[in-house]
Amino acid sequence: MEDSPDSALQREESHSSYISMRDIDPSPEDETPPEYIHESYFPEKDKDNYNPPSPPARSTTLGLGNHGPVYYLKGLQKYSSYAFTVFATLHITNTSILPLLTRSVSAADPYLLLTRPYYQSLPFEPLLITAPIALHISAGLALRLYRRRQSVHRYGAESRSDRKRIPWPKLSGTSMLGLAMTPLVLGHAFINRVIPLWYEGGSANVGLEYVSHGFAKHPIISYAGFTVLVGVGSWHIVWGWAKWLALTPAQVTSYGQQAQLRKKRRFYVINGVAFAVASLWLAGGLGIVGRGGEATGWLGREYDELYRRIPIIGQWL
């Protein structure tokens, strides 16, 4: 009895299916695609060995990372103070420490005139003085305004009256010293650098004798202004560096009695360092330069003319 064509076709298809199933090799365990791990015969073991791919690192359009404005404003404040600290160290050495060591204005003045061109010429003056001061002050103001804007946005203030009810961010002691120091530093720079540059074309004749002449001719305003400048500047600089180095009392992260002792110790040490810096600065500035006396002759008359160029108060000097 012959098979029908349909029966022969069915046997041929069954045989082909059997051959194809027999020729397929089982997939090894370590070649299981990650997306099918949950369907694997070894789900627990595969789950332990499977590490999902990490998402690609994101960045801003400029490639600056995910940091917000606060991060960059704080960075500007911090690193601009590095450059200005270099200048401040040189300046205090020339105007206070060297006079204190030599015990004489005339003996210390040549050192000032010798080293001053290094930070009163291009490119050092903009890099060490002008740009760092401008960046430091503007970054601090921008940071305060940005935090104020965040507070207004956080509380959903829409009208002007709503914004008035939201307090401004609290100022730290270091920030208040910085605000007080700004007009003092600008005034000091204006009298000793800008006025000679405007009316004489440079500071060739302006040295420690120029400062001594001002102390002798106008003692009250000179002693008061210099003392306030040194005091505010010393405490602002020392507390600022303590903050950059994470050494302020507020940066103690632990709790308990030992933490309180560490906070007190840091408070007294930082203030002690600030007091030492101010004392050294005043000892040379007031003790030696401030007692140097008036300049005589044509140089004294030239200094008088420069002091009279000070706006508002110059006409009484």
Side-chain angles (χ1 to χ4, degrees):
M1 181 177 179
E2 294 183 357
D3 294 336
S4 65
D6 292 338
S7 300
L9 181 60
Q10 288 178 356
R11 284 197 301 272
E12 185 177 353
E13 289 177 352
S14 299
H15 181 71
S16 299
S17 299
Y18 171 76
I19 295 298
S20 62
M21 291 177 63
R22 187 181 61 183
D23 291 340
I24 293 177
D25 293 328
S27 175
E29 176 190 348
D30 57 354
E31 291 183 4
T32 303
E35 59 269 23
Y36 296 115
I37 282 181
H38 63 282
E39 299 176 1
S40 170
Y41 288 103
F42 311 96
E44 295 300 325
K45 189 173 182 180
D46 287 336
K47 187 183 298 183
D48 294 338
N49 294 333
Y50 173 58
N51 294 319
S54 58
R58 298 180 180 271
S59 62
T60 61
T61 306
L62 298 177
L64 298 177
N66 289 326
H67 301 296
V70 173
Y71 175 84
Y72 295 107
L73 290 173
K74 282 186 174 181
L76 282 176
Q77 259 201 321
K78 180 177 181 179
Y79 295 114
S80 61
S81 67
Y82 286 15
F84 187 74
T85 300
V86 174
F87 160 73
T89 303
L90 294 173
H91 191 62
I92 294 172
T93 301
N94 285 328
T95 60
S96 181
I97 297 177
L98 288 177
L100 193 61
L101 293 176
T102 59
R103 312 295 297 178
S104 170
V105 172
S106 58
D109 217 9
Y111 294 100
L112 173 65
L113 299 177
L114 181 64
T115 58
R116 190 174 57 188
Y118 290 102
Y119 57 82
Q120 282 193 355
S121 60
L122 293 174
F124 297 107
E125 187 171 24
L127 291 177
L128 295 179
I129 307 173
T130 311
I133 290 178
L135 286 174
H136 193 74
I137 295 173
S138 59
L141 294 175
L143 185 60
R144 181 162 173 78
L145 292 174
Y146 180 77
R147 284 173 171 167
R148 166 65 177 175
R149 182 183 176 185
Q150 282 185 314
S151 298
V152 171
H153 180 73
R154 185 180 302 115
Y155 290 103
E158 297 180 355
S159 64
R160 186 175 181 181
S161 59
D162 291 339
R163 290 193 293 269
K164 284 184 177 180
R165 286 195 291 267
I166 298 175
W168 280 76
K170 186 178 179 181
L171 276 175
S172 65
T174 307
S175 298
M176 287 189 286
L177 288 172
L179 290 175
M181 186 179 175
T182 300
L184 297 172
V185 170
L186 295 179
H188 177 76
F190 183 80
I191 294 172
N192 293 278
R193 177 61 174 154
V194 177
I195 289 180
L197 189 62
W198 277 356
Y199 295 102
E200 292 192 344
S203 304
N205 295 322
V206 176
L208 295 178
E209 281 187 293
Y210 175 67
V211 181
S212 297
H213 187 80
F215 275 105
K217 296 281 287 187
H218 319 289
I220 296 177
I221 189 172
S222 297
Y223 275 89
F226 187 75
T227 302
V228 173
L229 171 63
V230 170
V232 173
S234 298
W235 260 263
H236 177 70
I237 292 171
V238 172
W239 273 92
W241 270 101
K243 181 179 180 180
W244 299 150
L245 298 174
L247 295 176
T248 63
Q251 291 170 304
V252 175
T253 57
S254 56
Y255 299 94
Q257 186 176 2
Q258 291 297 324
Q260 294 299 320
L261 291 176
R262 289 181 62 192
K263 289 182 179 180
K264 289 183 179 180
R265 190 182 303 116
R266 289 188 178 191
F267 177 82
Y268 289 120
V269 168
I270 294 171
N271 283 298
V273 173
F275 179 79
V277 171
S279 299
L280 180 63
W281 197 348
L282 289 173
L286 295 183
I288 305 299
V289 179
R291 298 166 60 186
E294 297 182 29
T296 58
W298 67 270
L299 192 59
R301 292 191 296 272
E302 183 177 347
Y303 289 162
D304 287 335
E305 184 62 27
L306 289 176
Y307 279 114
R308 278 193 287 268
R309 299 286 186 175
I310 300 175
I312 302 175
I313 64 172
Q315 55 183 328
W316 292 290
L317 297 179

